[in-house]
Amino acid sequence: MENVSLALGRALWVFLLAMIGSTTSQPLGGESVCTARPLARYSITFIGKWSQTAFPKQYPLFRPPAQWSSLLGAAHSSDYSMWRKNEYVSNGLRDFAERGEAWALMKEIEAAGEKLQSVHAVFSAPAIPSGTGQTSTELEVHPRHSLVSFVVRIVPSPDWFVGIDSLDLCEGGRWKEQV
C-alpha cells in the first residue's frame, strides 16, 4: 500500500509540474500570441471633421478657434495601457487632455517601456490648426508589441480627447492590411 501511495504521489507531482509548465507558457487572459512577420510599418491618418455646419451647438465661436492638438501614441504590448474607456486616466493623460501638456504623458510611456518592456515605440503627428483637416504619421509594430493606442486633444475644451485604446494590428498570425 505504501508503494502505491508513493507512486500515486509521484504521478500527481509529475502531473502538477506538467500543468504548471504548460500554463505558464500561455498568454495571460486568453490572449493570442501574434505570429506575424517580425516587423510591420503603418501609416496613421487622423481626420478632424469638427465644423460649425456639422456641430452647430458644439462649435466654438470664440478664441481659441476649434482645433486638434498633436497626436501622441504608442505601439505596445498588453502590459501597457495609455487609457481605458470608463476608467480614470493617468496624471499624464489628464495634463495632456486638460492643458495640452504632453511632457508627463511622455514620461509615463517611457517609464512603462523601461520597466515593463511593454512599449516598443512612441509616435506623434502635428496638430491641426482648425476644426477640419488631417494629420499623418508612420509607426512600426512587432509581434510582441502589436497594439496601438493614441490620443488627440480637442481644443478648446476643458478635458475632451479622442483616441484609440489598444487596437491590435495582428490578426490570425497576419498583420491587418487596413483598419
Side-chain angles (χ1 to χ4, degrees):
M1 185 71 167
E2 235 175 85
N3 286 341
V4 172
S5 294
L6 187 58
L8 188 57
R10 284 187 187 146
L12 183 58
W13 275 110
V14 168
F15 175 74
L16 288 173
L17 289 174
M19 289 303 294
I20 291 170
S22 67
T23 57
T24 56
S25 66
Q26 299 298 314
L28 296 175
E31 302 163 11
S32 60
V33 175
C34 179
T35 57
R37 294 185 317 271
L39 176 68
R41 296 182 197 276
Y42 284 92
S43 175
I44 290 181
T45 301
F46 174 80
I47 302 171
K49 295 184 177 184
W50 190 17
S51 68
Q52 188 171 6
T53 305
F55 300 94
K57 292 183 180 180
Q58 293 85 14
Y59 193 80
L61 298 175
F62 53 86
R63 294 181 82 67
Q67 55 191 287
W68 302 93
S69 75
S70 59
L71 177 148
L72 182 58
H76 58 90
S77 70
S78 61
D79 298 329
Y80 173 74
S81 172
M82 181 179 283
W83 62 278
R84 294 268 188 245
K85 184 178 176 182
N86 298 325
E87 291 185 14
Y88 289 110
V89 298
S90 67
N91 290 335
L93 188 52
R94 186 189 70 228
D95 288 350
F96 181 76
E98 290 179 357
R99 297 189 295 277
E101 297 173 7
W103 182 83
L105 180 57
M106 290 295 297
K107 286 292 186 189
E108 289 173 359
I109 295 170
E110 184 179 293
E114 290 174 1
K115 183 177 180 183
L116 301 173
Q117 303 283 308
S118 59
V119 175
H120 165 67
V122 177
F123 56 90
S124 64
I128 302 172
S130 64
T132 58
Q134 68 182 40
T135 188
S136 298
T137 189
E138 293 185 356
L139 70 131
E140 58 181 42
V141 290
H142 289 273
R144 181 164 156 21
H145 302 94
S146 63
L147 303 177
V148 172
S149 296
F150 69 81
V151 292
V152 179
R153 179 176 180 248
I154 301 173
V155 181
S157 77
D159 57 4
W160 297 353
F161 69 91
V162 296
I164 296 290
D165 168 34
S166 301
L167 173 67
D168 197 346
L169 296 175
C170 186
E171 182 175 64
R174 297 181 58 196
W175 294 113
K176 293 179 181 178
E177 291 294 319
Q178 186 175 351
V179 179

